[in-house]
Amino acid sequence: MQFEPKWIAWEITRRCNLRCIHCRSSSEEIVKEHPDPSKEECFRTIDDITSYAKPVLVLTGGEPLLREDFFEIAAYANSKGLRVCLATNGTLVSEEICKKLKEVEIKMVSLSLDGPNEEVHDNFRQQKGAFQGTINAAKLLKKYGIPFLINSSFTKRNQETIPEVYKLAKELGATAWYMFMIVPTGRAEELLNELISQEDYEKILNWHYDMEKGEKDILVRPTCAPQYYRVIFERSKKEGEKFERRSLKFSTGGAKGCVAGQLICLINVDGDVMPCSYFSLPAGNIKKQSFREIWENSELFKNLRDFSSYKGRCGVCEYVNVCGGCRARAYCIKDDYMEEDPYCKYIPRRAR
């Protein structure tokens, strides 16, 4: 296979105890229109996936820990040879939860941390106490020897806290810190006027480059920011270095900055298979087709893998093979996933 699924994010519930301003799935405490798939349906989905590939499976939501059968689903996926991870907001993590996570051999837990204090984080999460919940979860996971990483999402309202959040992630003992540049999908569609500007976007990526250059203790990677791979090449060449970034290793196997539909995908509660968590256009549905058929034959995935058909500046950019622009952002803002990334300010040589 030229493009093999390495990571699958699987939305096993859309229910959530928080109502975050940037939630891609617009999760609510009670969701009537999108009921959770049954445990039996979940088992069938796992069987379908593992008959074709053995990707990392990230159980996400909503808040996955709201499912009473979460640990049964995780245990079954583990028994089928999958490396199972959990994406949680952290507020429900307890001593008992940690013991069960160990029992079902959860390999990694991702926690959400969008600010260095209660004021910023709780504002994002629209729930007082959310910050303390994440901090408590990190301490418990550390106590029980369960590896965890921290995902942090940023808009104009919290972009000034980026260095502080990075510092806190290190202090908490996270194995990795992923800096997310928000894509306006789901509830985040209401945040269009809060998206980080092109100019600040570029400055933040260059800050990350300088920070990562001296970072030895924690894996760091900008997410939904494929232009970072251009920044790496530009800066390294300018400075005459051959510094191999750990971030760059993520884009191996013929892929690049944006790996939507190339190395990763999302399966939502309805069974729709989408290129990534922020790309709300289905490539197919696992209730009607096998995962293999969707991954190998869907028109959407084939288009995303055809870099020569990209449009606008992305189509003529010399960095298309290492960046490619955010396809989800092009779809959300330009309504054409093959168009140029509207939040990139770089002018390709052929377009000057």
Side-chain angles (χ1 to χ4, degrees):
M1 290 182 294
Q2 183 179 0
F3 293 95
E4 180 181 353
K6 298 293 187 181
W7 293 269
I8 296 178
W10 183 19
E11 185 183 75
I12 58 174
T13 183
R14 199 164 284 175
R15 292 178 293 131
C16 191
N17 58 325
L18 301 182
R19 197 176 186 279
C20 307
I21 62 169
H22 60 303
C23 181
R24 57 152 188 86
S25 62
S26 300
S27 295
E28 303 275 1
E29 187 172 2
I30 300 176
V31 181
K32 296 180 180 179
E33 295 182 4
H34 301 275
D36 297 347
S38 68
K39 181 173 66 176
E40 291 69 30
E41 286 179 298
C42 289
F43 286 179
R44 285 197 294 272
T45 296
I46 292 168
D47 290 340
D48 182 21
I49 292 170
T50 55
S51 69
Y52 172 57
K54 295 292 177 68
V56 173
L57 185 66
V58 182
L59 301 179
T60 185
E63 174 49 59
L65 292 177
L66 285 175
R67 284 193 66 131
E68 294 181 358
D69 56 4
F70 169 81
F71 294 100
E72 292 180 78
I73 295 169
Y76 186 76
N78 183 61
S79 73
K80 300 292 286 189
L82 295 175
R83 181 179 173 86
V84 187
C85 303
L86 163 66
T88 173
N89 60 45
T91 59
L92 301 181
V93 175
S94 63
E95 298 259 2
E96 185 62 29
I97 291 293
C98 286
K99 292 175 184 177
K100 291 181 178 180
L101 292 174
K102 292 281 282 188
E103 289 175 5
V104 299
E105 300 182 47
I106 292 294
K107 298 300 189 293
M108 180 71 70
V109 175
S110 68
L111 299 173
S112 300
L113 183 66
D114 304 318
N117 52 48
E118 291 183 359
E119 180 182 1
V120 180
H121 181 84
D122 290 1
N123 173 266
F124 242 68
R125 300 283 157 176
Q126 299 197 85
Q127 179 67 55
K128 186 174 178 57
F131 177 78
Q132 286 303 325
T134 296
I135 299 301
N136 181 63
K139 291 178 178 178
L140 285 173
L141 293 168
K142 191 74 174 176
K143 174 182 176 180
Y144 281 89
I146 302 171
F148 68 94
L149 62 84
I150 287 179
N151 294 325
S152 302
S153 298
F154 296 100
T155 65
K156 289 179 180 178
R157 75 169 66 185
N158 67 336
Q159 70 179 72
E160 296 301 324
T161 70
I162 289 176
E164 295 175 76
V165 177
Y166 154 64
K167 181 181 178 182
L168 180 54
K170 286 188 65 174
E171 292 174 352
L172 290 171
T175 62
W177 177 64
Y178 294 165
M179 180 182 72
F180 277 75
M181 312 300 273
I182 282 183
V183 177
T185 187
R187 201 172 288 132
E189 289 181 2
E190 302 174 12
L191 300 178
L192 274 173
N193 63 339
E194 287 195 37
L195 296 183
I196 294 172
S197 68
Q198 286 184 336
E199 292 73 23
D200 286 347
Y201 185 37
E202 196 78 6
K203 290 177 183 177
I204 291 169
L205 294 184
N206 276 277
W207 167 85
H208 196 288
Y209 176 91
D210 292 327
M211 174 271 291
E212 185 184 350
K213 191 174 179 180
E215 180 53 68
K216 305 296 182 184
D217 302 323
I218 183 174
L219 173 65
V220 290
R221 176 167 56 80
T223 305
C224 300
Q227 290 79 13
Y228 186 57
Y229 299 93
R230 166 182 53 82
V231 170
I232 289 175
F233 277 90
E234 285 183 320
R235 291 284 303 274
S236 295
K237 183 178 180 180
K238 181 179 180 181
E239 296 167 12
E241 296 183 351
K242 293 183 179 180
F243 180 69
E244 184 180 9
R245 303 273 162 163
R246 284 181 290 176
S247 294
L248 200 56
K249 293 179 181 179
F250 184 72
S251 62
T252 57
K256 51 186 172 42
C258 181
V259 291
Q262 298 169 41
L263 295 181
I264 66 172
C265 68
L266 167 79
I267 301 175
N268 73 5
V269 292
D270 299 318
D272 292 324
V273 180
M274 301 174 179
C276 76
S277 298
Y278 305 96
F279 198 145
S280 57
L281 185 64
N285 189 286
I286 55 171
K287 296 179 182 180
K288 303 175 182 177
Q289 307 158 271
S290 70
F291 177 79
R292 177 173 190 162
E293 181 181 353
I294 296 169
W295 183 264
E296 292 188 350
N297 300 320
S298 76
E299 181 180 2
L300 172 54
F301 284 178
K302 285 182 177 180
N303 287 340
L304 291 173
R305 297 163 187 169
D306 182 9
F307 309 154
S308 64
S309 295
Y310 286 8
K311 302 176 183 178
R313 286 175 296 136
C314 287
V316 297
C317 186
E318 60 271 27
Y319 294 106
V320 67
N321 290 320
V322 295
C323 169
C326 177
R327 297 299 98 209
R329 202 171 275 121
Y331 177 66
C332 292
I333 298 175
K334 288 181 169 285
D335 198 31
D336 184 347
Y337 59 81
M338 299 298 280
E339 262 292 355
E340 64 184 44
D341 185 336
Y343 273 77
C344 176
K345 65 175 293 185
Y346 181 72
I347 305 299
R349 296 187 191 122
R350 290 168 58 189
R352 296 174 189 170

